[in-house]
Amino acid sequence: MASKLMQSLPKRDSRFLLAFVAAPVGVLLAVVVVSTFAAIPIEHFTRDPADLAVQHPLWGVVSNLGILLWCTCAAVCAFSSHVLARREQRATERARHLRAAALCTGVLLLDDLFMVHDDLARRYLGFGEPAVVVLLASAALAYFWRFGHQILAGKWGLLLFAMACLMSSLLIDQINDRGLLGTGSWPYFAEDAPKFLGIAAWCGYHYRLAIRSLEPVSEASQSRAANDSLHPEQVVPRATA
């Protein structure tokens, strides 16, 4: 039945559906392999963290919301860049910008979700937290350097606020590690609150960027673009005052 269904679909659609079936199956197989060889109970990979830790379902709710925002931003940017590239039949600068934003956000998402710079990089790769933070900062700087002209040409106040909040969170994290803010819960709130605000602002900036990039180009702009694309001998003279 499944094979007949796949045969009835266009080749491109069948590959697309197969990818979204094969990828989850691959994840489950990887979980089984790691669980078997590392002697880790398989439910540690599949159950909800709050359930495993026997905690309230709202345990870590702000952190979880931040992960959802990272994921939303990456998905919106990736989808918008794909739509732009197909609509304009080539990888335009706007499409490249959104694609790079999706990639950069995806890296930040994975780092935050799996606590890469906090734990995994040191545990399995031998990289300390400062080294990973430098790598992440370098990736962000490369993004800003490459698309700085586009960022400055638009409204970038929300992005500036996002970067200020995220950098403040990193700074407070380093201060907390040295015990300079004391003990208790509030030092963690002082670190996590600006981080959450920064993620929300980052998502908001790129969501607005995607929406504006997908807005239809005005007829006048389309006419000028078409006129400029003609050969010199075919260019239609523009009206002058």
Side-chain angles (χ1 to χ4, degrees):
M1 182 67 179
S3 60
K4 290 182 179 180
L5 177 61
M6 296 296 289
Q7 291 174 0
S8 66
L9 292 171
K11 188 174 182 180
R12 185 171 184 174
D13 289 344
S14 63
R15 288 200 304 265
F16 181 80
L17 292 176
L18 182 62
F20 275 84
V21 172
V25 170
V27 170
L28 293 175
L29 289 175
V31 164
V32 171
V33 171
V34 173
S35 173
T36 301
F37 286 95
I40 301 174
I42 197 165
E43 65 267 20
H44 288 190
F45 295 97
T46 58
R47 291 172 61 189
D48 292 329
D51 191 19
L52 281 172
V54 194
Q55 296 292 334
H56 192 279
L58 295 180
W59 196 47
V61 61
V62 173
S63 177
N64 290 338
L65 288 175
I67 295 298
L68 290 176
L69 287 173
W70 283 132
C71 188
T72 298
C73 181
V76 166
C77 290
F79 179 79
S80 301
S81 69
H82 178 73
V83 171
L84 275 174
R86 287 181 61 86
R87 188 174 71 184
E88 300 176 4
Q89 298 182 345
R90 60 193 178 92
T92 62
E93 189 70 1
R94 291 185 302 169
R96 294 190 190 97
H97 185 183
L98 287 167
R99 191 174 303 159
L103 179 61
C104 188
T105 305
V107 170
L108 295 172
L109 162 65
L110 293 175
D111 175 71
D112 195 7
L113 177 61
F114 297 113
M115 300 178 64
V116 175
H117 78 269
D118 293 301
D119 189 306
L120 287 186
R122 180 181 65 256
R123 186 190 299 256
Y124 296 109
L125 301 176
F127 293 154
E129 181 176 350
V132 181
V133 170
V134 168
L135 288 175
L136 292 174
S138 299
L141 287 174
Y143 167 64
F144 293 134
W145 177 267
R146 172 63 178 81
F147 299 101
H149 61 288
Q150 283 195 319
I151 294 172
L152 292 176
K155 295 183 177 181
W156 45 269
L158 200 57
L159 182 61
L160 180 63
F161 176 73
M163 296 308 301
C165 287
L166 293 173
M167 291 176 65
S168 297
S169 178
L170 283 174
L171 178 61
I172 295 171
D173 179 30
Q174 297 301 312
I175 295 174
N176 270 341
D177 287 345
R178 291 165 174 77
L180 299 180
L181 293 182
T183 59
S185 299
W186 287 108
Y188 292 102
F189 181 81
E191 173 189 342
D192 294 331
K195 175 184 173 182
F196 181 68
L197 292 175
I199 297 172
W202 175 278
C203 182
Y205 169 80
H206 287 97
Y207 180 83
R208 184 170 62 184
L209 175 68
I211 291 295
R212 291 183 175 177
S213 297
L214 291 174
E215 287 178 350
V217 182
S218 65
E219 293 183 4
S221 298
Q222 289 180 345
S223 177
R224 285 196 298 270
N227 192 37
D228 292 341
S229 67
L230 298 174
H231 294 294
E233 64 272 11
Q234 294 176 305
V235 173
V236 178
R238 295 178 184 171
T240 57

